[in-house]
Amino acid sequence: MALSGLAHALHDGYTDAIYVLLPVWRAEFGLDYVALALLRGLYAGAMAALQVPASWLADHVGGRAVLILGTVLAAAGYALAGFSGGAMGLYAALLVSGAGSSVQHPIASSAVSRAYGPAARGPLGTYNFTGDLGKAIIPAALSLGLSIAPWRSSLWLLALAGIVVAALLTLFMPRIDPAPPPSASLPRTSRRGGRGFPLLLSIGVVDTGVRMGFLTFLPFLLQLKGASQPLIGTALALVFLGGAAGKLACGWLAQRWGIVGVTLCTEGATALMIAFAAVLPLAPLLVLLPLLGLALNGTSSVLYGTVPELAPADRTERAFAIFYTGVIGSGALSPLLFGVVGDQAGPVVATLGTAAAALITLPLALALGPRLTRR
């Protein structure tokens, strides 16, 4: 659990450190919003495309080895980004790093799920919480580094942190148990649980698209309100700390209040608070950001914890891989779509568009409820 959480913190921190770097790269290379969104999209696209291949590779060579190699590759991508001399170099480096990060979610989440068995929903929420700790700590540390050192040196230090984590995984990570063989004795409800899986995946796709679209424009929204570069990093840390609390709490709350009820609360609150974020002045916005982060990320723990319940026991990695392919693919494409809106109408309108998109999840959650009840 500890080492899976450490890997999750590093890889999620790598993923969201890009948001801190977007204004820096815009000033350095003169990129527009679509080109900036493409940087984030290439990273997330590589992650999405390789989720299922990563699970297949883990079946053949072992999840532990794949997790270590992926961590090294993700760190190498950030090191290459520090050497890049233009936008094309950044695109190539982020593709490499995203490919390395593709292995973490299906392998580490399956390891936690298998270790805790039927009681995995709460531990999976804790595992997701560690990812948001990385999202809070690494972007904030990078923002501080950018205020005292060149951005290239900051990226090389970030790559070194990845090598250290890979070394810890090599020394201490235990063997990850393989999937149990398929069994005809599986409960019938487990075999037909896939009826609810497409709805669960749809909610995850929309939820992730809203989150990534909003986070892409948050640094520019803060700039419009007069925030400095260090304050932008602090603001992102506030969002991610709130998100960490949301992921930790909502996974456990779903056990008590139900999946549908918690999803309706978090998604409705997300839409409302994003709308407020678009129009509030800087000071009240900073106060709102931790609460916004709680709602923005809380849904994901509910969804991730439900994946093992809707998948047969022998297909947990594959179900996680398919789920993460969908949600990370959404995270890759949604910034591009909202980036077009941002170039045409500005970051405020694009931000309001993400609030409207969050409302799509409400009828999807209500449709998922009866399927969970029948199971």
Side-chain angles (χ1 to χ4, degrees):
M1 181 67 179
L3 289 164
S4 294
L6 179 62
H8 196 188
L10 174 80
H11 286 272
D12 275 20
Y14 274 1
T15 302
D16 284 9
I18 297 173
Y19 295 119
V20 177
L21 292 161
L22 290 180
V24 176
W25 288 335
R26 187 185 188 197
E28 180 88 6
F29 302 115
L31 304 176
D32 60 18
Y33 286 125
V34 172
L36 290 169
L38 183 59
L39 287 171
R40 177 63 179 78
L42 284 172
Y43 186 102
M47 286 180 62
L50 296 175
Q51 295 284 313
V52 173
S55 70
W56 289 337
L57 186 61
D59 289 340
H60 290 88
V61 303
R64 177 180 177 275
V66 174
L67 183 59
I68 293 167
L69 291 174
T71 301
V72 171
L73 191 61
Y78 262 92
L80 290 173
F83 288 105
S84 61
M88 294 305 297
L90 289 176
Y91 291 148
L94 292 179
L95 274 173
V96 170
S97 190
S101 287
S102 67
V103 308
Q104 185 272 137
H105 283 116
I107 293 174
S109 56
S110 296
V112 173
S113 174
R114 210 164 272 132
Y116 287 90
R121 177 179 292 278
L124 281 170
T126 304
Y127 160 79
N128 281 318
F129 164 76
T130 62
D132 273 66
L133 284 181
K135 291 177 180 181
I137 294 170
I138 291 179
L142 177 60
S143 184
L144 178 62
L146 291 172
S147 67
I148 60 178
W151 64 271
R152 298 177 189 276
S153 301
S154 299
L155 292 191
W156 294 331
L157 287 174
L158 204 56
L160 180 60
I163 297 301
V164 170
V165 171
L168 292 173
L169 292 173
T170 302
L171 292 173
F172 302 114
M173 184 73 176
R175 178 177 177 272
I176 298 174
D177 291 335
S183 173
S185 63
L186 282 173
R188 186 173 179 176
T189 54
S190 294
R191 293 198 298 269
R192 74 177 190 179
R195 293 181 180 180
F197 186 79
L199 278 172
L200 186 76
L201 178 59
S202 299
I203 297 170
V205 165
V206 177
D207 175 66
T208 303
V210 168
R211 182 165 61 254
M212 298 308 180
F214 172 72
L215 289 174
T216 297
F217 281 96
L218 180 58
F220 304 106
L221 197 65
L222 291 165
Q223 277 187 333
L224 287 177
K225 298 175 188 291
S228 63
Q229 180 65 46
L231 186 57
I232 290 173
T234 302
L236 287 168
L238 291 174
V239 174
F240 298 139
L241 284 171
K247 284 191 173 182
L248 181 63
C250 289
W252 299 97
L253 288 175
Q255 289 183 313
R256 294 178 174 270
W257 295 354
I259 296 163
V260 174
V262 174
T263 300
L264 292 175
C265 289
T266 54
E267 292 294 341
T270 294
L272 182 63
M273 286 191 281
I274 288 178
F276 280 137
V279 298
L280 284 175
L282 181 59
L285 173 57
L286 293 174
V287 174
L288 179 70
L289 286 179
L291 292 175
L292 174 54
L294 189 151
L296 193 67
N297 283 4
T299 307
S300 61
S301 274
V302 180
L303 302 178
Y304 299 157
T306 308
V307 170
E309 298 180 13
L310 294 176
D314 61 302
R315 296 181 183 175
T316 303
E317 279 101 347
R318 199 60 43 82
F320 272 119
I322 293 170
F323 186 84
Y324 282 116
T325 297
V327 298
I328 297 173
S330 172
L333 294 176
S334 61
L336 295 174
L337 298 176
F338 289 115
V340 173
V341 178
D343 280 331
Q344 297 297 319
V348 174
V349 175
T351 301
L352 290 172
T354 65
L359 298 176
I360 298 173
T361 61
L362 302 183
L364 294 174
L366 291 172
L368 178 64
R371 289 163 173 77
L372 296 170
T373 302
R374 284 199 296 271
R375 292 189 68 244

